[in-house]
Amino acid sequence: MSDATTEPEIEAQVARLGELRDAIGQAIVGQAEVVEQLLIGLVAGGHCLLEGVPGLGKTLLVRSLGQALDLGFHRIQFTPDLMPSDILGTEILEEDHGTGKRHFKFQPGPVFTHLLLADELNRTPPKTQAALLEAMQEHTVSYAGVTHVLPEPFFVLATQNPLEQAGTYPLPEAQLDRFLLHIRVDYPSEAEERGILVQTTGSHTVRVPKVMDGPSILALQARVREVHLGEDLLDWITRLVRASRPLGDAPQDIRQWVRWGAGPRAGQALVLSAKARALLHGRFAATREDVAALVAPVLRHRLLLSFAAEAEQKGADDVVAALLRDVPYPGG
C-alpha cells in the first residue's frame, strides 16, 4: 500500500465497495455473482459484456449501478440503422452573430459520459460497433482529425442476447478482447424469482442511493494495482493463458476444442481482476480462489472454438474447466 495513505483511509475506501454492493442490491434480487463481477470490472478499470436471455434484469442492473454512482450515465439502444455519428457525435455549423462568420463546432455524442450502457450491442452493424473501439481502448474519440478526451472514469457495459440470431451481428474478436470480463447472467433461483415478483409488482418504488463518486472510483482503481499478487499466482496465470492456445504442448482437450486461444491481454485482465476481487473482499493480497473464480469470465470471450467442440456441444466454459483441471496450481 502507498505510504501516503493511512490504513484507516484504505479501509474506508474498501468499505465503500460494500456500500455500493448493498445499494445495487436494493433494486436487484439475487445475482450476487453477477453483481460482484460487475464491481470487479469497475474497480479494475475495464469494460464488461453481459450476456443473458431477455428479462433477466441486465439493463436494470446497469441502471442501478448508474444510480448508485454520482457519475454521468448514458444509454444507447443499438439498432441496425444506428450510425457511428449517433454514438461519437458530429460537427454542426454555427454562425458568430457578432462577425457573421460561420464555423464548424464538434457536438459530443452520448459516448462522452462516465458510464455507458451499450444495450444489445450485437444488433448494430460492424461499422457502428467499431466506433466504440478507440473509446474503449484509448478513452478518446477522434473526429475530423481532432482527438477528444473522454471523461474519467469511463466504463462501457454492453449487453447482448445469446439466443436470437436473426438481425444480429456477432462482435468481432478484436472488439471482444477489449472487454475485461464476459459476464453470464443466468436464470434466478426459485426463491430469488419469487422475490423479483414481490418487488416488481407492488406499489413500492425502489430508490437506489448514490454512494460513490468519480474520484472515489479512480482512487480504488489505483488501489487495485497495489494489491499483492505472489509469484506462484503469476506463474499459474501465465501457464493458464498459454495453455489455452492449441499448440504442441497444450492439453489434449484444448488442442481438440480450440482453434485460437487467448492472447497476453487475457493474462493482464486475469491479474487485475484477481486483485480487484481481493480488494472487494477486504484483502490486500490476491489468492488462488480469486484467480480460479475469474478464469471463466476473463477467457470465455477470448477463445475461438473448433468445429469439433461444436459437434461435441462443448462451450467456452467447458474449455475453462479443462484448463483448470489440466493446469493445476503450482504445488496444489
Side-chain angles (χ1 to χ4, degrees):
M1 296 297 114
S2 172
D3 294 336
T5 308
T6 65
E7 186 172 341
E9 290 174 331
I10 296 172
E11 292 175 350
Q13 288 178 342
V14 175
R16 299 288 292 279
L17 286 173
E19 296 173 12
L20 182 58
R21 190 203 298 261
D22 294 340
I24 296 173
Q26 294 186 28
I28 301 296
V29 178
Q31 301 289 8
E33 186 176 355
V34 173
V35 172
E36 176 172 286
Q37 292 178 8
L38 196 63
L39 295 181
I40 287 170
L42 177 68
V43 299
H47 312 292
C48 292
L49 176 65
L50 281 78
E51 182 177 87
V53 298
L56 294 184
K58 300 185 298 297
T59 303
L60 176 61
L61 174 59
V62 178
R63 280 193 173 278
S64 300
L65 177 62
Q67 291 169 2
L69 299 174
D70 191 13
L71 298 173
F73 172 75
H74 286 157
R75 175 182 181 269
I76 303 176
Q77 181 64 51
F78 281 80
T79 56
D81 60 347
L82 199 70
M83 298 297 291
S85 59
D86 297 326
I87 302 170
L88 304 180
T90 187
E91 286 189 333
I92 58 175
L93 187 62
E94 283 194 346
E95 181 177 347
D96 189 326
H97 296 292
T99 63
K101 293 183 178 180
R102 295 181 178 182
H103 63 279
F104 284 100
K105 178 183 178 181
F106 180 69
Q107 182 68 33
V111 74
F112 285 84
T113 187
H114 294 103
L115 180 61
L116 178 68
L117 169 56
D119 216 355
E120 295 188 297
L121 181 58
N122 59 333
R123 287 199 173 277
T124 200
K127 178 180 180 180
T128 306
Q129 291 175 356
L132 278 177
L133 280 173
E134 181 188 354
M136 292 174 65
Q137 185 65 27
E138 309 294 338
H139 293 199
T140 59
V141 168
S142 297
Y143 193 95
V146 179
T147 299
H148 306 271
V149 179
L150 295 174
E152 293 289 352
F154 177 67
F155 189 41
V156 174
L157 286 168
T159 69
Q160 67 176 9
N161 176 3
L163 297 182
E164 189 176 346
Q165 298 302 320
T168 62
Y169 304 84
L171 295 175
E173 286 72 18
Q175 186 150 13
L176 284 172
D177 201 32
R178 261 62 173 192
F179 289 100
L180 183 80
L181 300 176
H182 180 179
I183 302 172
R184 289 266 172 86
V185 185
D186 294 323
Y187 289 109
S189 66
E190 183 177 350
E192 291 172 348
E193 191 158 354
R194 185 183 185 281
I196 292 171
L197 297 179
V198 171
Q199 181 166 302
T200 58
T201 58
S203 58
H204 177 66
T205 302
V206 176
R207 294 187 180 275
V208 179
K210 294 189 181 298
V211 298
M212 193 175 293
D213 57 11
S216 299
I217 295 171
L218 292 174
L220 281 168
Q221 289 178 353
R223 190 71 56 212
V224 162
R225 294 180 176 269
E226 298 177 358
V227 173
H228 176 72
L229 188 137
E231 294 294 330
D232 53 347
L233 283 178
L234 193 60
D235 290 342
W236 190 35
I237 289 172
T238 303
R239 291 173 57 208
L240 282 169
V241 173
R242 293 181 63 83
S244 73
R245 304 163 192 164
L247 305 176
D249 56 347
Q252 181 178 354
D253 286 339
I254 305 303
R255 296 199 305 270
Q256 182 178 357
W257 295 340
V258 179
R259 290 174 55 197
W260 198 261
R265 190 179 279 133
Q268 296 170 336
L270 194 48
V271 169
L272 284 175
S273 299
K275 289 184 174 185
R277 185 178 187 272
L279 197 65
L280 195 62
H281 286 262
R283 292 180 276 106
F284 303 111
T287 66
R288 173 182 176 180
E289 288 72 24
D290 294 324
V291 175
L294 290 160
V295 174
V298 166
L299 290 185
R300 62 168 56 113
H301 58 301
R302 293 182 164 98
L303 302 172
L304 184 61
L305 302 188
S306 66
F307 294 114
E310 295 179 11
E312 296 180 33
Q313 296 184 333
K314 299 296 183 181
D317 286 3
D318 297 304
V319 174
V320 170
L323 280 172
L324 292 173
R325 181 192 67 222
D326 296 333
V327 185
Y329 178 74

